[in-house]
């Protein structure tokens, strides 16, 4: 959709690259479910799954929830989808082909071509019934140009090791999709991506995630609560059957793997078959692994048949050099990849999967003294600088009352209207609460002057609960859980935008700005720049679509105002005058 806008960025995982303020409904297919009993690939079953899933994804566009009105609108207008697959590494291994081989890359490219081609064809068939996406007409030429590029790439496929039916369909699917798209358009502006499938691959019982090879034939997962889980790749047996080994030979090889955590050195295993079982990382008792170029070449083989990009980790050994890492990015760029990421083994203190059942040893490190300055990327020392207020500064003083406790809050302002210091006056001089409030105000003032964002402080201190607490005279803060809670909710109402306030559960029912005198009306803009009340109301309607009365005048926040459940520890929610736990069902009283 180049006529609408260019691509500015990707999502964090990097597989989705499309217009700003848009969302993508993802789905992944377990390729091993399309494997025939004889080890071949069931093309007809795969096509049927692709058509079914694309239809379901298209339906879900209208039933999904979106974080902002702009994303919701663009999702309805462009309807981008992200069909992908998982378990490619297991499929190639079960078919007897190495992941880092021309044959493996040819099969992966053909499968990807069929997936996207059939999906675009199905999108065009849906458009024939109910019309293309809203902005197809203005993007007709750019989109058809991309479809033609997919078709041209399919024409350059290498048929070595590829099933004839799969090879024919990898090209024919794009011919059908282009012919129908030129006539009726497409229902979806984007159709396919390759997501990492980190969690859903386990739900689908996949041995490998996304387009990844297996990390190792045997790996260990250390559990949070203690203990260890041994994970063994169950595709090895199928691969050995496909390669022609007898039952007795397979049993010996599997026993060797279970005992040694590697297939290298297994009895009766032919040397020419070792590459079939190569994985991303070198096993603890082995020497072989997939070279980082093998990862990049696999991505380059399937990228021409993906609408978006590929979220995949290029695994590198612990011995990888800076030059080798730089080469990964350079080669990825030369091969036309849209995105690439690397992971060097051992670069994290703790990683989810390891190749040894020995518990990682903690390194003994000497205490490190905290420097007074912070080194920057250029080697220069950077010392935090304090932004002091001028000797004469504008300020605002606010009187408040929490229950029977009265106090005054004075906020000193910078020239740009941002708060730089606070003073809190409560009770008599020399009292405990007066001394605590003075010390607290001083620490907050120093934090503000050293650049701590106000919204960070508000997020930390708002909704704290301790005595004194009670009802207030402020119509925007009906009930204060503590003096600290009141102060920071008031600061949020005065100095933070409506979106930032709503993000941490602070709502207001009208204009909250009254800083300047009538003699200096122009200074209102320089001191504060809050969103108008009408704008707050409009945004609230767009965000939650509910009546404003319950949101803007509410004294309580169902999440931030609630205590932890005494039974299970989950955060409770308000239920009438009490609280209830949505996790275990316990209540705090009369509910």
């Amino acid at each position: 959709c180049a006529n609408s806008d260019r691509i500015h960025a990707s999502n964090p995982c990097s597989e989705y690259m499309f217009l700003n303020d848009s969302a993508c409904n993802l789905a992944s297919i377990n390729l091993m479910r399309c494997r025939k009993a004889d080890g071949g690939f069931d093309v007809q079953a795969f096509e049927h799954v692709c058509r079914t899933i694309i239809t379901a994804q298209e339906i879900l566009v209208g039933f999904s929830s979106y974080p902002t009105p702009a994303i919701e609108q663009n999702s309805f207008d462009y309807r981008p989808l992200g069909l992908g697959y998982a378990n490619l590494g297991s499929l190639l291994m079960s078919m007897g082909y190495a992941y880092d081989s021309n044959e493996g890359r040819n099969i992966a490219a053909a499968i990807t071509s069929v997936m996207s081609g059939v999906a675009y064809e199905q999108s065009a068939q849906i458009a024939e019934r109910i019309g293309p996406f809203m902005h197809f007409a203005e993007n007709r030429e750019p989109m058809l140009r991309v479809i033609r590029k997919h078709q041209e790439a399919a024409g350059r496929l290498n048929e070595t090791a590829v099933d004839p039916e799969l090879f024919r369909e990898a090209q024919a699917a794009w011919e059908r999709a282009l012919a129908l798209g030129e006539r009726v358009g497409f229902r979806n502006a984007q159709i396919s991506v390759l997501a990492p499938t980190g969690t859903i691959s386990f739900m689908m019982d996949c041995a490998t995630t996304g387009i990844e090879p297996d990390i190792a034939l045997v790996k260990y997962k250390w559990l949070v609560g203690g203990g260890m889980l041994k994970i063994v790749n169950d595709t090895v047996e199928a691969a050995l059957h496909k390669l022609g080994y007898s039952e007795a030979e397979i049993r010996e090889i599997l026993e060797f793997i279970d005992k040694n955590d590697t297939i290298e050195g297994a009895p009766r295993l032919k040397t020419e078959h070792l590459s079939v079982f190569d994985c991303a990382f070198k096993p603890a008792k082995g020497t072989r692994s997939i070279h980082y170029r093998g990862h990049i070449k696999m991505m380059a083989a399937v990228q021409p048949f993906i609408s978006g990009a590929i979220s995949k980790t290029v695994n590198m050994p612990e011995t990888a050099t800076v030059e080798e890492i730089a080469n990964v990015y350079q080669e990825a760029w030369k091969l036309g990849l849209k995105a690439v990421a690397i992971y060097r083994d051992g670069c994290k203190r703790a990683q989810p999967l390891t190749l040894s059942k020995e518990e990682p040893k903690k390194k003994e490190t000497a205490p490190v003294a905290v420097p007074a300055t912070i080194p920057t990327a250029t080697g220069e020392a950077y010392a935090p600088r304090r932004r002091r207020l001028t000797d004469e500064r504008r300020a605002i003083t606010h009187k408040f009352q929490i229950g029977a406790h009265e106090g005054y809050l004075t906020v000193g302002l910078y020239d740009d209207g941002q708060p730089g210091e606070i003073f809190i006056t409560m009770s008599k001089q020399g009292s405990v609460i007066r001394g605590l409030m003075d010390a607290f105000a001083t620490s907050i003032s120093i934090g503000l002057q050293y650049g701590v964002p106000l919204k960070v402080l508000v997020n930390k201190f708002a909704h704290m609960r301790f005595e004194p607490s009670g009802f207030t005279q402020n119509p925007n803060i009906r009930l204060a859980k503590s003096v600290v809670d009141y102060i920071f909710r008031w600061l949020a109402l005065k100095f933070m935008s409506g979106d930032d306030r709503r993000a941490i559960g602070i709502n207001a029912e009208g204009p909250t700005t009254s800083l300047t005198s009538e003699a200096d009306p122009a200074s209102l803009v320089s001191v504060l720049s809050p969103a108008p009340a009408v704008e707050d109301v409009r945004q609230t309607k767009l965000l939650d679509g509910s009546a404003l009365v319950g949101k803007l005048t509410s004294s309580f926040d169902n999440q931030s105002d609630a205590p932890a459940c005494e039974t299970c520890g989950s955060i409770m929610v308000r239920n009438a005058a009490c609280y209830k736990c949505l996790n275990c069902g316990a209540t705090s009283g009369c509910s």
Side-chain angles (χ1 to χ4, degrees):
C1 294
N3 289 341
S4 294
D5 197 4
R6 71 178 184 89
I7 295 174
H8 293 267
S10 74
N11 68 323
C13 292
S14 80
E15 77 272 14
Y16 179 58
M17 296 183 175
F18 197 55
L19 304 178
N20 285 353
D21 291 317
S22 62
C24 183
N25 288 318
L26 300 179
S28 297
I29 301 171
N30 184 353
L31 294 179
M32 284 294 285
R33 298 297 184 185
C34 297
R35 179 177 177 270
K36 296 179 180 178
D38 61 358
F41 190 74
D42 193 335
V43 181
Q44 294 183 357
F46 183 61
E47 288 188 350
H48 176 72
V49 172
C50 292
R51 296 181 190 277
T52 303
I53 297 298
I54 280 295
T55 305
Q57 287 178 271
E58 159 58 26
I59 294 171
L60 285 174
V61 170
F63 289 90
S64 298
S65 58
Y66 301 91
T68 68
I71 293 177
E72 181 178 20
Q73 191 62 53
N74 281 333
S75 296
F76 292 157
D77 291 349
Y78 293 91
R79 316 184 75 80
L81 304 180
L83 180 63
Y85 53 69
N87 231 2
L88 175 67
S90 293
L91 178 68
L92 295 179
M93 184 183 294
S94 70
M95 298 173 74
Y97 294 108
Y99 185 89
D100 185 12
S101 67
N102 290 329
E103 294 81 2
R105 289 187 282 269
N106 293 341
I107 295 172
I111 290 174
T112 311
S113 179
V114 171
M115 179 187 72
S116 293
V118 169
Y120 269 115
E121 181 189 6
Q122 182 69 10
S123 179
Q125 290 177 350
I126 298 174
E128 187 175 21
R129 296 291 188 92
I130 56 180
F133 66 92
M134 182 176 294
H135 296 286
F136 173 76
E138 64 182 276
N139 291 285
R140 176 183 175 86
E141 291 307 317
M143 186 163 186
L144 291 177
R145 182 177 67 247
V146 171
I147 301 299
R148 293 189 188 100
K149 291 176 70 175
H150 286 307
Q151 183 191 23
E152 292 171 1
R156 297 191 295 269
L157 283 171
N158 191 324
E159 60 181 324
T160 303
V162 181
D163 180 81
E165 182 184 4
L166 177 62
F167 183 76
R168 288 193 303 270
E169 193 58 25
Q171 297 177 329
W174 288 108
E175 296 175 2
R176 298 193 303 267
L178 178 60
L180 188 57
E182 288 177 333
R183 185 165 58 86
V184 300
F186 296 96
R187 182 63 176 170
N188 310 96
Q190 183 170 297
I191 213 74
S192 60
V193 301
L194 282 180
T197 68
T199 302
I200 63 173
S201 62
F202 290 104
M203 296 175 62
M204 295 192 296
D205 195 26
C206 297
T208 62
T209 61
I211 193 178
E212 302 279 2
D214 200 359
I215 292 178
L217 297 182
V218 179
K219 51 266 185 192
Y220 297 89
K221 182 176 179 63
W222 293 96
L223 306 178
V224 175
M228 176 195 68
L229 180 66
K230 183 176 182 179
I231 305 174
V232 182
N233 190 322
D234 58 0
T235 315
V236 176
E237 183 176 357
L240 293 173
H241 276 293
K242 184 68 176 179
L243 293 171
Y245 289 88
S246 66
E247 291 294 338
E249 292 172 330
I250 292 174
R251 186 167 56 255
E252 282 188 62
I253 295 173
L254 293 179
E255 289 175 355
F256 180 88
I257 295 174
D258 189 58
K259 182 179 180 180
N260 297 276
D261 294 349
T262 180
I263 199 172
E264 296 180 51
R268 303 180 183 273
L269 182 68
K270 299 177 182 178
T271 305
E272 60 266 25
H273 293 159
L274 271 174
S275 61
V276 175
F277 305 98
D278 284 347
C279 298
F281 287 149
K282 181 180 68 175
K285 298 180 181 180
T287 60
R288 299 179 61 91
S289 65
I290 298 173
H291 194 273
Y292 69 83
R293 291 192 185 90
H295 296 271
I296 301 174
K297 289 180 180 179
M298 178 59 79
M299 296 172 70
V302 304
Q303 180 65 83
F305 310 106
I306 296 294
S307 304
I310 305 168
S311 180
K312 178 186 172 359
T313 303
V314 177
N315 298 97
M316 304 188 73
E318 191 174 1
T319 56
T321 64
V322 175
E323 291 73 19
E324 288 176 325
I325 293 175
N327 287 337
V328 170
Y329 290 103
Q330 292 174 357
E331 291 190 29
W333 172 69
K334 292 177 182 178
L335 291 173
L337 298 184
K338 297 181 182 179
V340 67
I342 67 164
Y343 180 80
R344 184 176 62 82
D345 189 22
C347 67
K348 285 188 175 182
R349 181 178 300 176
Q351 58 190 40
L353 297 175
T354 60
L355 308 183
S356 173
K357 58 184 177 181
E358 296 180 2
E359 190 170 0
K361 297 180 180 179
K362 296 182 179 180
K363 296 181 180 179
E364 297 294 335
T365 56
V368 179
V370 180
T373 59
I374 302 172
T376 63
T378 60
E380 300 177 355
Y382 165 75
R385 299 182 62 182
R386 185 176 181 181
R387 181 189 177 196
R388 296 180 180 274
L389 282 81
T390 58
D391 291 341
E392 291 187 3
R393 75 289 300 267
R394 285 174 294 181
I396 177 174
T397 300
H398 171 68
K399 178 183 178 181
F400 62 91
Q401 184 171 344
I402 302 174
H405 298 266
E406 189 176 276
Y408 295 86
L409 173 63
T410 300
V411 183
L413 305 170
Y414 290 109
D415 292 338
D416 59 2
Q418 294 301 311
E421 65 182 3
I422 65 172
F423 299 95
I424 307 170
T425 304
M426 289 191 71
S427 192
K428 296 179 180 181
Q429 188 71 33
S431 64
V432 174
I433 190 171
R434 177 68 174 266
L436 288 175
M437 286 296 103
D438 284 345
F440 181 71
T442 300
S443 65
I444 295 300
S445 299
I446 293 174
L448 290 171
Q449 292 174 19
Y450 272 104
V452 178
L454 177 63
K455 66 179 181 180
V456 174
L457 296 172
V458 171
N459 191 42
K460 286 292 184 183
F461 292 109
H463 300 296
M464 289 188 70
R465 181 188 296 275
F466 57 87
E467 296 298 329
S469 64
F471 289 96
T472 77
Q473 296 179 351
N474 190 329
N476 293 317
I477 307 176
R478 302 298 178 84
L479 180 68
K481 279 81 87 176
S482 64
V483 177
V484 172
D485 170 53
Y486 181 90
I487 290 171
F488 280 95
R489 287 167 68 187
W490 182 86
L491 289 172
L493 294 175
K494 282 291 180 183
F495 298 100
M496 288 172 58
S497 67
D499 287 341
D500 287 340
R501 294 198 308 265
R502 281 187 288 270
I504 57 177
I506 296 177
N507 302 309
E509 65 172 336
T512 59
T513 306
S514 57
L515 262 180
T516 57
S517 63
E518 295 180 1
D520 188 18
S523 64
L524 177 63
V525 178
S526 65
V527 175
L528 286 178
S529 56
V534 175
E535 180 67 15
D536 282 350
V537 172
R538 185 183 70 82
Q539 287 293 338
T540 304
K541 284 183 178 179
L542 289 173
L543 285 172
D544 57 22
S546 61
L548 296 178
V549 178
K551 287 290 183 183
L552 297 183
T553 64
S554 174
S555 300
F556 303 96
D557 184 276
N558 277 350
Q559 186 75 6
S560 301
D561 185 57
C565 176
E566 295 180 355
T567 303
C568 68
S570 298
I571 298 299
M572 306 175 81
V573 297
R574 179 163 289 279
N575 186 32
C578 300
Y579 297 94
K580 66 178 179 181
C581 178
L582 298 178
N583 184 46
C584 68
T587 64
S588 64
C590 62
S591 299

